[in-house]
Amino acid sequence: MSAAPFQMLGLSASRDERGLVTISVPWNCKSLAQTMSVGGGAPFGLPETGRQVSQLEDASYQVTITYEGTEDEPDEEQSYEFDSSFREEPIESHPKIAQIKKRYGGVVGDDGRITFPEKLPSATGEGTGLAGGEATSSEKNPMFGQNTYLVLNAVFRRTYLERRVPKDLLDGVGTTREKLPGGLPTPKGRNWLVMPPKVARRGNVFEITEEWMLSKPGEKWPEAIYGLIER
């Protein structure tokens, strides 16, 4: 008959700002079968969310049982994440492309792409709002060979816990927002598109992540188009 399992030292626990509690409890078992049945109840009333088994040098097994969830009803605490980066876009999509073409001598080819000469035109336009002034044709064109430009790309995420998935969770998908919650900034002339949410079970609660995507520079998401999304 196998010896009885016993709880080992090394219990660990954590609680985040939203109230999500995670507890890991290690046990020692003499047989592999025991690793699937051993358990010490539900600490703080939390359900088990997984167990990991590894064999030790003495041929016994260590099983670490993980419990997750909240002790009470989740509070209204939320975590915010602002994920921003640069991405390359075709130069033809630049909001000031007409001014750029005029100042730097851009020419539209048969394929619709814009190319720029190696040297600046002898007379560059003024009053375009871009840096630079009069130039001679001997000057190198800073736009020569440029076919893309960098655009600020940003995704805002809001994560919170709920006992049940809200029935209206998908109602806002595809709609637009002018401002972010939490006082986070929105660049001038741009807005946010509500993306499909993510939902994950975390013990006795659901972890819900909502995502909003920033529009292109100088443009807003066209509500007339995204309002046609079927939900």
Side-chain angles (χ1 to χ4, degrees), residues 62-132:
Q62 177 178 326
V63 53
T64 302
I65 307 173
T66 303
Y67 304 86
E68 277 190 326
T70 60
E71 302 175 61
D72 304 308
E73 285 292 326
D75 52 29
E76 296 183 358
E77 290 295 325
Q78 304 177 13
S79 63
Y80 296 148
E81 181 182 0
F82 197 79
D83 185 5
S84 57
S85 61
F86 281 119
R87 72 169 185 267
E88 284 191 312
E89 290 284 343
I91 193 65
E92 292 80 10
S93 67
H94 195 288
K96 294 184 178 180
I97 188 58
Q99 297 172 340
I100 295 174
K101 283 171 55 183
K102 182 178 180 181
R103 178 174 290 272
Y104 298 106
V107 177
V108 181
D110 294 337
D111 58 357
R113 302 305 304 270
I114 299 175
T115 57
F116 298 89
E118 184 177 0
K119 301 296 182 179
L120 278 172
S122 58
T124 57
E126 295 185 2
T128 61
L130 297 175

Side-chain angles (χ1 to χ4, degrees), residues 25-185:
V25 183
W27 286 79
N28 182 274
C29 299
K30 297 304 180 182
S31 71
L32 187 60
Q34 288 177 340
T35 64
M36 295 295 107
S37 59
V38 69
F44 302 112
L46 304 181
E48 178 185 330
T49 58
R51 55 180 63 201
Q52 183 175 356
V53 179
S54 59
Q55 191 169 31
L56 304 178
E57 292 183 358
D58 62 358
S60 65
Y61 298 89
Q62 177 178 326
V63 53
T64 302
I65 307 173
T66 303
Y67 304 86
E68 277 190 326
T70 60
E71 302 175 61
D72 304 308
E73 285 292 326
D75 52 29
E76 296 183 358
E77 290 295 325
Q78 304 177 13
S79 63
Y80 296 148
E81 181 182 0
F82 197 79
D83 185 5
S84 57
S85 61
F86 281 119
R87 72 169 185 267
E88 284 191 312
E89 290 284 343
I91 193 65
E92 292 80 10
S93 67
H94 195 288
K96 294 184 178 180
I97 188 58
Q99 297 172 340
I100 295 174
K101 283 171 55 183
K102 182 178 180 181
R103 178 174 290 272
Y104 298 106
V107 177
V108 181
D110 294 337
D111 58 357
R113 302 305 304 270
I114 299 175
T115 57
F116 298 89
E118 184 177 0
K119 301 296 182 179
L120 278 172
S122 58
T124 57
E126 295 185 2
T128 61
L130 297 175
E134 292 291 336
T136 67
S137 59
S138 63
E139 291 188 72
K140 183 178 179 180
N141 192 338
M143 291 299 296
F144 176 66
Q146 296 293 321
N147 51 28
T148 63
Y149 72 107
L150 293 179
V151 173
L152 174 64
N153 182 44
V155 174
F156 166 78
R157 296 184 183 90
R158 175 172 61 184
T159 304
Y160 55 94
L161 304 174
E162 292 285 356
R163 280 274 194 254
R164 291 163 291 280
V165 177
K167 293 182 179 180
D168 61 350
L169 180 63
L170 301 179
D171 290 353
V173 175
T175 60
T176 60
R177 299 289 186 271
E178 296 298 318
K179 297 181 179 180
L180 293 176
L184 293 172

